[in-house]
Amino acid sequence: MSDERCDVLIVGGGPAGATCARELRRAGLDVAILDKKTFPRDKVCAGWVTPLVLNTLEIDTADYVRDRVLQPISGFRSGMIGDGAVEVDYPQVVSYGIRRCEFDDYLLRRSDARLLLGEPLKTMERRNGEWLINDHLRTPLVIGAGGHFCPVAKQLGARVGSGEPVVAAKEIEFEMTPTQREACRVDARRPELYFCNDLKGYGWIFRKGDYLNIGLGREDNHRLGDHIDAFMDWLKRSGRIPADIDHRFKGHAYLLYAHGDRPLIRDGVLLIGDAAGLAYPQSGEGIRPAIESAVMAPQPLRVRPCSRPGRLSAGAAPCALSPAAGSALRSAGDQRPQPDTGRIAPAPGRAAAEESLVYPPRGAGPLVSARASAAVAHRGLGARPA
């Protein structure tokens, strides 16, 4: 039996992988997505996206909300753990809350790619100018979109899980009981951010309709469990959350752009999203640079479609990567968003601090610039004490 083939194999079915697949399918390429999980699946993440991300993804919000959570955000409550807080409100929606189990599955299903779900990347061998994946799939191009621990990044020489300076985080998301909903004092329109006293991280509470998301992330993972326990105890004592919430958090890690030095490209291989370490250093936001890199990736690829859309082809044409690909993707991590306008520009000084509150603390998890955001909270920026 002959091996299966495709023009491009994407490893990882999250937002970066699904978005890149959709762009490549639009160009007429035969694309397959490989992911060790089946979808929908749970994903550790605070779950915030901006209007600009939704626009880039061309998501019809009216259609999306029919059977999925899309919680408008128009303010924030922020302070220090164990201390008071201030509330900041904006005249317009600045972000949306999503559930990653729904959001990721939605993007994946509409990608129009061949889905190879429930299959991990086990082997990746270079043979005759193409890649042989798991001893049965041949492709000239592999795109790694499997997050921080992406096996394709390891293939490129990244020190995955060893020696890289990462942000560590843990969170829980669950559907509240009627009693818990009544006891929860968190306003769904106003997520809450509370910064650690050493300003090396922060905890958050985010209500999405009947769902509650709680988590904490830090620039180091030293005693992360102790920080989470103290944060939860304080939230319960202060009455912000119901007292009967379980503490069984799930963890994850990711690279900030400023800390990442992973190789992004080699012959027939490319990294995007968290696999490339593109999260914004000021906010920790990961979904937007993941989406941007996914949209950018197909542009510098010099590829020639060779197969019929929607099917694994019997033969794949040669595929080469432009040298511009790596620098183009790195630029996604160099840019800062302007939430009000959708423009990308530097955001120095107070503007950067204010933006850290307006722009969510990582669509895929946490670490905002704690120093900047704490400064915003204490200086006020039009906020009212809470």
Side-chain angles (χ1 to χ4, degrees), residues 2 110-111 125 226:
S2 61
R110 72 167 195 173
S111 70
E125 301 176 35
D226 292 342

Side-chain angles (χ1 to χ4, degrees), residues 313-352:
S313 64
C319 172
L321 293 173
S322 162
S327 59
L329 295 178
R330 277 293 186 200
S331 71
D334 283 329
Q335 300 174 75
R336 283 292 290 151
Q338 297 273 329
D340 295 335
T341 64
R343 292 180 288 111
I344 295 177
R350 174 179 168 136

Side-chain angles (χ1 to χ4, degrees), residues 255-257 264 272-274 276-280 285 289-290 293 329-330 332-333:
L255 280 172
L256 297 178
Y257 172 73
L264 300 185
I272 60 176
D274 275 354
L278 298 181
Y280 291 130
E285 160 64 7
S293 65
L329 295 178
R330 277 293 186 200

Side-chain angles (χ1 to χ4, degrees), residues 35-208:
D35 198 294
K36 65 182 180 180
K37 298 288 188 180
T38 57
F39 283 64
R41 52 91 170 96
D42 290 331
K43 177 68 175 179
V44 178
C45 179
W48 304 14
V49 295
T50 62
L52 183 58
V53 167
L54 297 183
N55 291 339
T56 301
L57 291 172
E58 300 174 337
I59 290 179
D60 181 347
T61 55
D63 174 67
Y64 187 87
V65 299
R66 288 177 183 172
D67 53 3
R68 305 173 189 88
V69 172
L70 190 66
Q71 174 63 54
I73 300 171
S74 57
F76 296 91
R77 177 186 171 97
S78 183
M80 305 295 291
I81 294 176
D83 204 346
V86 295
E87 292 177 353
V88 180
D89 290 314
Y90 300 92
Q92 72 282 338
V93 173
V94 295
S95 285
Y96 291 94
I98 50 95
R99 301 193 68 221
R100 287 291 300 275
C101 59
E102 299 172 346
F103 187 74
D104 291 15
D105 187 60
Y106 171 85
L107 295 180
L108 185 65
R109 302 299 172 184
R110 72 167 195 173
S111 70
D112 193 32
R114 173 70 63 93
L115 303 182
L116 307 175
L117 304 181
E119 180 179 354
L121 177 64
K122 295 180 179 178
T123 60
M124 181 175 171
E125 301 176 35
R126 192 70 170 164
R127 293 188 182 179
N128 301 320
E130 61 183 6
W131 292 101
L132 175 62
I133 305 298
N134 290 352
D135 296 323
H136 71 86
L137 176 61
R138 293 183 181 273
T139 181
L141 176 61
V142 176
I143 296 180
H148 174 67
F149 295 102
C150 182
V152 181
K154 186 175 182 179
Q155 178 77 23
L156 285 179
R159 298 169 295 159
V160 176
S162 175
E164 291 183 316
V166 300
V167 170
K170 289 188 175 183
E171 64 97 35
I172 53 172
E173 182 171 287
F174 60 95
E175 185 174 11
M176 293 183 287
T177 66
T179 302
Q180 289 173 332
R181 291 198 294 269
E182 185 175 349
C184 183
R185 294 171 55 191
V186 178
D187 186 337
R189 300 165 301 173
R190 191 184 295 124
E192 304 186 5
L193 310 176
Y194 298 102
F195 298 94
C196 299
N197 291 326
D198 60 4
L199 297 182
K200 290 186 177 180
Y202 77 99
W204 73 88
I205 328 170
F206 187 10
R207 186 171 185 168
K208 311 170 190 179

Side-chain angles (χ1 to χ4, degrees), residues 3-7 30 306-308 311-317:
D3 293 328
E4 297 174 299
R5 293 182 179 273
C6 61
D7 295 329
D30 178 21
C306 62
S307 55
R308 198 163 42 168
R311 301 187 62 184
L312 291 175
S313 64

